[in-house]
Amino acid sequence: MARGLAGNPAAPLDVLLRLLDDHAEAVPAAFRRRADLPPAVVAAATRHPVARVRGALAANPHVDPAIRLRLADDPEHRVVELVREDPGLALPDRAFMRSVDQLLGYFRRGLMTPTELRGEVIDLGTRDRRAVRSIATHPEPLVRAAAVDLLGSVHETSREQLREVLLHDDVPEVRAATAHFFAERERAQEPADLPGNGYAYRGMLSDLRLAPALIEYVLADRDGRQGADAMATNPTLPPEVVEALLGHPSADVRCGLARRDDLTSSQLARLAADPDVSVRTAVSVHPALSEVDRAAIDIDLTTAPWDRRTGLCWHHRSVLPPPPLPPLAESVRIASSVNPLLRRRAAVDPRLPADVVAALADDPDPDVRTLLAHHHPAAPPDLLLRVFREYEHRRCDRYRLLALPNFPTAALARFADDQDPAVRRLVAHDPQADPALIDRLTHDPDAAVRQAMAVCPRLPVDRIVELLGHAELAEAAAANPSLPVHVMRKRVASPSP
């Protein structure tokens, strides 16, 4: 029940502070997501002795960023990690120093070899690119040397900045490794240069200049690692090799070619008529094609990779920044494309003007509508409700739509007997829903529906208080903002609220 009270938006300051003092184990789940925590509660939570309470604030995107950044110095490593999980925070270098120092401590105690230390440091920088500068400026030369292997993963501007730092390092080995890294990026790679690591192997084939011997080696698949599809996207590939790969037996290789910007009109036409539908689908979004060309290509949307489908609306925390948006004019242009894959790309642009939004809101492709609903701040209420009700894509969090300001609340009571339990839950959001109907749905066959009604402020007060004694619904009832404050105070003061 204390967990419910911690999330109750009507709980007064004294109740929240009492929860922090006497029932700290109950507050983290609610405090991680509440946008309305009073300043006094935030202040008390930041200095709370229980790390999970401090961690709840560290993970809460609604808390003042300045407060969360101070938690980057928290003595508990997990609290610092929770601060770092937000890719939108401009973290100071010190936010990563503890992780690096912890690895260095293992090394100095003989628990890691220099090679293992290097690998762990590289892994840290790979998982969060914001750590690379901390690694490149660390006092320990072994750590700074590891930063050289991370230069390829950072943005070009950052790479040039770090290049200057590492080329003027105090340690000759670090300077030499940095110079070698950039020299290698200019040198044509040979078969002997191929790394054993699969990601590095494919990265080399797709990004670096390749010597003729290496190209021939990959085409012959001498090592059995089938790297031709990665090589097909390499911008430095000679034109004659690109032409030869058009006849490669692997559809994956031909799909890789379809992503090249330097294809000729005859090459585009050949891929557009490819016998494999996945290749035709891949090339159908090529920027050099006209809309007439696209309309003539027989495609299958189910073969499209996730980055062109509804995976784009999968909202989750990631240390990787979102991909940059194209110029607005480009998004507007492709929003009217005959190709649904291009319209899906346009639908994720939150800058689209109202007329384009209106057109996409009625798009025949359900993925276009879903992406628009999740990404555009002015997505129409009717669209949000439609997408919620037509929910199909498990990678999309439809419950996130409920928090959007445009999500409609009027007349949701009409869904009280809908076959989909998630749609029945919408009744709790209707400000005009009959209290008797809300009460009836606390007996719904679906547990999530029962809980949604128990927290609905239109549930009769006597029923809310009654549910505090219900094993399943007590927590939801305690979160109900219509719960009388005197009842909250009485419950929080009891030994087991």
Side-chain angles (χ1 to χ4, degrees), residues 135-479:
I135 295 169
T137 57
H138 196 276
E140 171 57 51
L142 285 174
V143 172
R144 298 200 302 277
V148 175
D149 283 349
L150 293 165
L151 291 174
S153 67
V154 298
H155 188 272
E156 187 173 350
T157 302
S158 299
R159 184 186 305 153
E160 288 304 311
Q161 293 172 348
L162 293 174
R163 175 181 185 170
E164 292 305 308
V165 170
L166 293 169
L167 282 175
H168 294 86
D169 196 276
D170 294 337
V171 178
E173 290 80 6
V174 175
R175 297 197 300 271
T178 305
H180 178 72
F181 170 85
F182 285 99
E184 283 296 289
R185 293 186 70 84
E186 298 298 325
R187 179 180 68 83
Q189 305 296 302
E190 300 286 347
D193 299 315
L194 283 170
N197 177 276
Y199 290 109
Y201 175 88
R202 297 182 65 82
M204 173 185 285
L205 293 181
S206 63
D207 297 335
L208 301 184
R209 291 180 59 234
L210 309 178
L214 179 52
I215 293 173
E216 191 277 331
Y217 180 91
V218 173
L219 289 176
D221 196 24
R222 300 248 175 97
D223 56 10
R225 290 200 274 177
Q226 300 179 348
D229 61 324
M231 187 175 71
T233 64
N234 191 309
T236 69
L237 213 57
E240 64 273 15
V241 179
V242 173
E243 182 69 26
L245 286 175
L246 289 169
H248 197 282
S250 170
D252 289 340
V253 173
R254 304 196 302 277
C255 282
L257 286 175
R259 297 195 294 271
R260 299 183 64 90
D261 292 331
D262 58 354
L263 296 174
T264 66
S265 57
S266 62
Q267 290 170 339
L268 284 170
R270 185 171 173 182
L271 291 170
D274 194 278
D276 192 292
V277 68
S278 67
V279 178
R280 301 196 301 271
T281 303
V283 80
S284 71
V285 297
H286 198 281
L289 292 174
S290 70
E291 287 300 296
V292 174
D293 294 331
R294 289 189 221 287
I297 302 174
D298 179 24
I299 65 175
D300 180 355
L301 299 179
T302 64
T303 67
W306 273 110
D307 66 347
R308 295 175 189 165
R309 299 188 69 228
T310 50
L312 288 170
C313 67
W314 188 17
H315 289 264
H316 64 288
R317 292 199 171 189
S318 170
V319 294
L320 297 177
L325 292 168
L328 177 57
E330 172 68 7
S331 292
V332 171
R333 184 185 67 81
I334 63 176
S336 60
S337 173
V338 297
N339 190 305
L341 298 175
L342 290 178
R343 300 200 303 275
R344 291 175 188 176
R345 292 184 185 181
V348 304
D349 193 329
R351 305 166 300 172
L352 292 176
D355 59 332
V356 177
V357 171
L360 293 180
D362 197 35
D363 196 278
D365 181 69
D367 286 356
V368 171
R369 300 194 302 268
T370 299
L371 290 168
L372 185 71
H374 277 270
H375 287 271
H376 203 284
D382 288 349
L383 171 68
L384 299 181
L385 180 58
R386 179 182 182 183
V387 168
F388 188 94
R389 295 190 66 197
E390 294 177 347
Y391 173 75
E392 297 175 0
H393 308 290
R394 297 302 169 187
R395 291 170 67 88
C396 291
D397 179 10
R398 68 167 160 179
Y399 294 106
R400 178 184 171 275
L401 297 174
L402 298 177
L404 300 180
N406 280 0
F407 195 91
T409 58
L412 296 179
R414 69 186 189 274
F415 299 125
D417 297 309
D418 195 277
Q419 292 185 348
D420 185 346
V423 175
R424 296 201 299 276
R425 288 172 61 181
L426 294 178
V427 175
H429 296 269
D430 187 341
Q432 302 301 321
D434 188 339
L437 176 60
I438 303 295
D439 192 355
R440 171 168 75 81
L441 289 174
T442 61
H443 302 282
D444 191 271
D446 185 83
V449 174
R450 297 194 296 271
Q451 291 167 356
M453 301 307 140
V455 79
C456 177
R458 283 165 299 289
L459 185 65
V461 171
D462 58 348
R463 178 63 170 155
I464 299 172
V465 175
E466 177 187 345
L467 289 178
L468 293 177
H470 191 287
E472 178 194 48
L473 299 179
E475 182 176 328

